[in-house]
Amino acid sequence: MSEQTTNTQRPDPAAAPSGDNGDWAIELEKINKSFGPVHANKDIDLKVKRGTIHGIVGENGAGKSTLMSILYGFYTADSGTIRVNGVPHAITDSRHALALGIGMVHQHFMLVDNMTVLENVVLGAEDSPLLNKTLAHARSQLVELGREYSLEVDPDALIENISVGQQQRVEILKALFRGADTLILDEPTGVLTPAEADHLFRVLETLRAEGKTVILITHKLREIMAITDEVSVMRGGEMVETLKTSETNPEELAELMVGRRVLLRVEKEPANPGDIVLEVENLSVTDRMGVQRVKSVSFSVRAGEIVGIAGVAGNGQTELLEAISGIADPTSGVVKIKGKPLDIRGDDGAARARRAGMAHVPEDRHRMGLVTTFEEWENSILGYETYPDYGKGMILDIAAAQKEAQRRIEMFDIRPDNIRLRTANFSGGNQQKIVLAREMDRELEVLVVGQPTRGVDIGAIEFIHKQIIKMRDAGKAVLLVSVELDEIRSLSDRILVMFDGHIVGEADPETANESELGMMMAGMNQKEAAQ
């Protein structure tokens, strides 16, 4: 970095220089970072005012996470300057960042499941002056912080026994316990119910009122508009613009992120449902640890409709989709397509489901949807390689498979236009398009889709939503699972809400409000949620 310092002592905010520098908690100047040939951050300038909530938005690969990882000490910038409260620092690691008053809450929590809340909060700080008055003193500090910031959680509870929302509270408490004055949050609401997200926003407002500085990374523009004071937009590793939130709107931010106008709302005609195509009757699923994840679930999906399943991650949606699509064996229950029971048990259950007319877009494209070391054309036929389209018996017609892959690349606007490129070298959005093209571009009766836009750029989200609506309008039965409540509400013709392995209610997306859905997602039955 262009300015170096070995000072690891946390600066006194009151000692910040007077003048313009005194207003800034964080200043990044001409930050550059490359990983081999990829220039992830290009001359980035960013200033974050002390005592504000500053949003950072951008597509996947825009450089947001890299930039914040440099600030938090995970990476070292190739060049550039970091100032904390006006003082330049070469941040060497996360301990150094914490010593400077910078904390970070990661998208995937850094907690030890079989340890208590208190043990997780003090973990890594055992040799810190924070613990010089015994663990009992740490407990009292934790309780006091929880009370002050409405982050109460039982210090003696095991992490594995508390909700995802409470786990996030623990992550925030960890940062505050270590004295963070600037708190970075990476996609903090992705695993929260609407009520938990609202509570988080109140916590952030309290932190701001206390003079703390918050940097919020999120792809949800509604959240940016609701909670931030300023927002910075990144695109292609560069800082495009920083705006006062009160002087912008979601449409402008989306256009700055993508470089073109983006339709943020889903446009669709009313559904015209036909006969029942998919039936699920009393389906139960027990995982490898002997825990029942799906508990006697029953529902149906008609031709020409999208049925969305809403719920916080971890309430059985993943296991439900895996059982319906033949990936996991149910312990009981029946799945039918057009009235015929489907044999989905056994190692080839997924293959039999495909032959019966079911297509499945899995929740985790890397774990189940793709082999990233394979070339694009190979992934384009994955699971269908024995079909007559691609040869006879064990003989694969490579030319036919590659021709089909090229057609799908053009149809689904997959970039780059290269069927011989390894799939690992495509962006997340284009990887998702490869899976969607493979599953949608064939004769089918039922489309089962899990988290269709997870980790996908805002421009690709628009395209994917249009393709799902197109399938519905072609008379297909679509079962959609998403943790994004906005996505469920905008795409679905009917909404089922899942909690703790049960379907706890059904709602009409035209009339159901977010509060009602959120309460059902938190475990209330439909009658209680409507009161």
Side-chain angles (χ1 to χ4, degrees):
M1 299 177 66
S2 59
E3 294 192 45
Q4 298 289 326
T5 177
T6 58
N7 178 18
T8 61
Q9 296 300 311
R10 182 174 159 193
D12 179 0
S18 59
D20 290 342
N21 280 347
D23 295 333
W24 308 115
I26 301 295
E27 297 171 86
L28 306 179
E29 296 180 1
K30 302 298 180 187
I31 297 294
N32 282 277
K33 182 64 179 179
S34 295
F35 299 95
V38 178
H39 200 168
N41 286 163
K42 308 171 187 175
D43 288 329
I44 297 289
D45 290 334
L46 173 67
K47 290 185 176 183
V48 180
K49 290 181 181 177
R50 185 180 295 105
T52 66
I53 301 175
H54 193 111
I56 300 181
V57 296
E59 294 188 280
N60 293 336
K64 310 182 300 295
S65 295
T66 299
L67 187 66
M68 289 300 100
S69 294
I70 289 170
L71 178 58
Y72 191 58
F74 279 155
Y75 300 139
T76 300
D78 298 332
S79 62
T81 301
I82 298 174
R83 290 189 177 88
V84 180
N85 292 313
V87 180
H89 293 274
I91 299 177
T92 55
D93 54 34
S94 58
R95 281 179 176 261
H96 188 175
L98 285 165
L100 295 171
I102 301 169
M104 187 168 182
V105 177
H106 302 271
Q107 186 174 3
H108 302 290
F109 303 149
M110 306 291 188
L111 300 172
V112 181
D113 285 349
N114 61 354
M115 294 177 67
T116 68
V117 168
L118 179 61
E119 289 167 342
N120 270 275
V121 167
V122 302
L123 189 63
E126 296 90 346
D127 58 349
S128 166
L130 292 168
L131 290 185
N132 61 2
K133 295 183 180 179
T134 77
L135 199 62
H137 181 65
R139 177 190 296 273
S140 68
Q141 284 184 293
L142 178 60
V143 171
E144 184 178 345
L145 285 169
R147 188 182 304 115
E148 180 178 358
Y149 295 106
S150 299
L151 292 167
E152 293 91 345
V153 60
D154 180 3
D156 298 313
L158 292 175
I159 294 297
E160 62 189 2
N161 293 334
I162 63 177
S163 70
V164 175
Q166 289 177 313
Q167 290 178 22
Q168 186 180 72
R169 293 186 186 189
V170 177
E171 286 282 23
I172 296 173
L173 285 167
K174 276 173 58 180
L176 295 175
F177 179 80
R178 288 161 169 76
D181 287 318
T182 295
L183 189 63
I184 306 166
L185 294 100
D186 188 5
E187 298 287 357
T189 64
V191 294
L192 303 182
T193 67
E196 288 172 328
D198 289 342
H199 179 269
L200 173 64
F201 291 162
R202 290 192 293 271
V203 170
L204 298 186
E205 288 170 346
T206 300
L207 290 169
R208 176 174 58 190
E210 292 277 336
K212 306 287 187 184
T213 304
V214 177
I215 301 175
L216 177 66
I217 305 171
T218 180
H219 69 279
K220 299 178 181 179
L221 297 181
R222 186 176 67 167
E223 295 179 359
I224 287 290
M225 299 304 301
I227 193 67
T228 64
D229 301 296
E230 292 189 322
V231 54
S232 294
V233 183
M234 295 182 66
R235 186 173 73 238
E238 298 181 288
M239 186 63 70
V240 177
E241 194 157 358
T242 294
L243 302 162
K244 288 186 177 180
T245 308
S246 60
E247 297 176 358
T248 187
N249 55 64
E251 290 75 18
E252 180 183 19
L253 293 174
E255 186 171 349
L256 287 169
M257 288 165 61
V258 179
R260 62 175 176 83
R261 292 191 64 184
V262 178
L263 186 66
L264 294 178
R265 64 188 181 280
V266 176
E267 291 186 344
K268 62 177 184 177
E269 298 296 322
N272 185 24
D275 296 333
I276 291 175
V277 176
L278 175 67
E279 293 176 87
V280 177
E281 298 177 354
N282 299 316
L283 195 72
S284 295
V285 180
T286 300
D287 67 15
R288 295 177 181 177
M289 303 298 292
V291 178
Q292 191 175 27
R293 297 297 185 182
V294 181
K295 303 171 183 177
S296 194
V297 165
S298 298
F299 62 90
S300 62
V301 185
R302 295 179 178 273
E305 77 166 345
I306 298 172
V307 173
I309 297 182
V312 178
N315 279 277
Q317 307 97 308
T318 297
E319 292 80 5
L320 176 65
L321 289 197
E322 290 179 356
I324 290 172
S325 60
I327 293 173
D329 288 348
T331 49
S332 62
V334 178
V335 176
K336 298 178 182 178
I337 293 182
K338 287 192 168 182
K340 295 181 179 180
L342 185 61
D343 183 7
I344 52 176
R345 289 174 171 81
D347 292 341
D348 58 347
R352 289 195 295 273
R354 286 194 290 269
R355 293 191 193 100
M358 182 183 295
H360 176 219
V361 178
E363 289 186 328
D364 188 335
R365 58 180 171 267
H366 291 149
R367 187 169 65 92
M368 289 188 174
L370 299 166
V371 179
T372 56
T373 55
F374 282 11
E375 294 178 0
E376 193 281 337
W377 74 269
E378 294 172 300
N379 275 289
S380 182
I381 65 170
L382 198 62
Y384 299 92
E385 60 272 10
T386 60
Y387 279 43
D389 298 348
Y390 310 120
K392 294 182 179 180
M394 299 298 292
I395 306 301
L396 178 64
D397 187 339
I398 294 176
Q402 291 182 342
K403 182 178 179 181
E404 187 77 348
Q406 185 62 49
R407 184 181 65 81
R408 287 177 179 157
I409 272 186
E410 295 166 4
M411 179 184 296
F412 280 76
D413 191 29
I414 298 168
R415 303 176 189 179
D417 178 0
N418 184 354
I419 64 170
R420 300 301 308 276
L421 185 67
R422 290 186 185 274
T423 311
N425 295 326
F426 288 83
S427 70
N430 284 291
Q431 289 177 347
Q432 187 75 344
K433 286 182 181 181
I434 293 170
V435 178
L436 288 163
R438 181 185 69 217
E439 300 300 324
M440 289 182 170
D441 184 34
R442 60 183 65 257
E443 290 298 320
L444 58 93
E445 302 289 347
V446 179
L447 175 66
V448 177
V449 187
Q451 314 300 344
T453 58
R454 173 179 281 168
V456 170
D457 302 337
I458 193 167
I461 288 173
E462 177 190 32
F463 178 88
I464 291 169
H465 285 174
K466 286 181 178 179
Q467 295 304 309
I468 293 173
I469 295 295
K470 186 177 178 180
M471 295 298 292
R472 182 204 73 167
D473 293 345
K476 311 305 179 185
V478 181
L479 177 64
L480 168 71
V481 166
S482 176
V483 295
E484 301 290 352
L485 192 52
D486 285 345
E487 184 167 67
I488 287 286
R489 294 177 70 191
S490 59
L491 286 177
S492 302
D493 302 304
R494 288 191 292 127
I495 299 174
L496 305 176
V497 181
M498 200 163 180
F499 174 78
D500 191 29
H502 297 280
I503 300 292
V504 295
E506 179 175 330
D508 181 345
E510 296 294 327
T511 58
N513 59 51
E514 187 174 285
S515 176
E516 179 183 346
L517 290 171
M519 285 188 284
M520 284 194 283
M521 290 164 64
M524 291 187 182
N525 63 41
Q526 195 162 6
K527 184 177 180 180
E528 292 172 329
Q531 291 177 348

